[in-house]
Amino acid sequence: MKFAAALLLSSAAMICAPSAFAATPDVVVSIKPIHSLVASVMKGVAEPKLIVEGAASPHTYNMRPSNAAALQNADLIFWVGHGMEAFLEKPLEALGSKATVVTLEDAPGLTKLKFREGGVFEPEAEEGHDHGHGHNHGAGEDHADGEDDGDHDHEGNDVHLWLDPMNAKAMTAEIEKQLVQADAEHAAIYQKNAAELMGKLDALDTELKAELSPIKDKPFIVFHDAYQYFEHRYGVKVAGSITVSPETMPGAERVKEIHQKVEDLGATCVFAEPQFEPKLVKVVTEGSKAKSGVLDPEAGALKEGPELYFDMMRGLATSLKTCLSQ
């Protein structure tokens, strides 16, 4: 009897205090930089699940059974969109049917830049390159044979949107809105966290502008053309990329072209990425004075969590500054 009474009392307590036991939405996020923003807004409520973990890249990712289960149980799924996480398209249709799927490349207030075609950006592009200020130079809108290299959306926009902290702010506003709609119970926490995150993003932007100012005019080569938003925001000068698409390794002709480009431009640094073939960078810099470094635009080498976005952006700035200041 005592046990039954205790059980009734505890049940009554649960009914009387719903906020203490409120079910929070099951949130799943595609890639680390976006996961970091969502985790920041959800701080103190729950932790979102991440699909592309560790050093994996969304460009070459294969779904695991645990990912499928996460999508199936999700209430809310955040991804950048079709151009970035192509591997997620079919699973979202098949498994994410009960979830609200939030495509962040559609968030209001984003700055969008056209995708540039060609690893060595077009010769005519060079003359008016304007220190990498993200102009399209007429490339990227039409793809032969409807090819999709997984780095841009159907309108020809580059989808590495998060590499501009102002875009991260626009995404944060959309993340906050969707979380408040899905879980009004914790609205005040989401709103407070989002406001704090936006303040931190503004401070980061000011910090990076100051840090990158001294290396603005020094040309460098990257592994794949993922950095337009970073260039556009901070005026740094990417002179070309080794490969157009990270899923496709460049042929001998492309490597020769880039090798020549490094010499012609006096590009002082060539940057690899942790997820892809670093020995290509050695081949490209062979016999030149160019140094090599590593840039990590998808945070493959970093531990997931609220601070990852800031660590990733500072890491990009530090790698650039270290290599280009030598």
Side-chain angles (χ1 to χ4, degrees), residues 32-33 36 299 302-313:
K32 281 178 167 181
S36 180
L302 299 175
K303 186 173 164 35
E304 67 199 61
E307 288 307 310
L308 172 138
Y309 182 84
F310 296 89
D311 294 342
M312 174 191 71
M313 294 295 281

Side-chain angles (χ1 to χ4, degrees), residues 57-62 82-89 115 143 147-152 159-160 223-226 242-251 273 275-277 280 298:
S57 165
H59 298 293
T60 52
Y61 193 71
N62 293 313
H82 309 275
M84 177 51 64
E85 309 95 326
F87 75 91
L88 261 181
E89 288 196 12
F115 185 77
H143 256 248
E147 269 174 40
D148 178 17
D149 62 21
D151 260 4
H152 59 102
V159 287
H160 296 85
F223 181 79
H224 86 290
D225 189 20
I242 293 175
T243 178
V244 182
S245 164
E247 302 96 299
T248 315
M249 286 301 115
E273 288 176 29
Q275 300 93 324
F276 302 106
E277 206 53 76
L280 279 171
E298 287 153 13

Side-chain angles (χ1 to χ4, degrees), residues 30 78-86 88-89 102-105 153 159:
S30 57
F78 291 99
W79 71 323
V80 177
H82 309 275
M84 177 51 64
E85 309 95 326
L88 261 181
E89 288 196 12
V102 183
T103 303
L104 286 170
E105 70 182 7
D153 68 13
V159 287

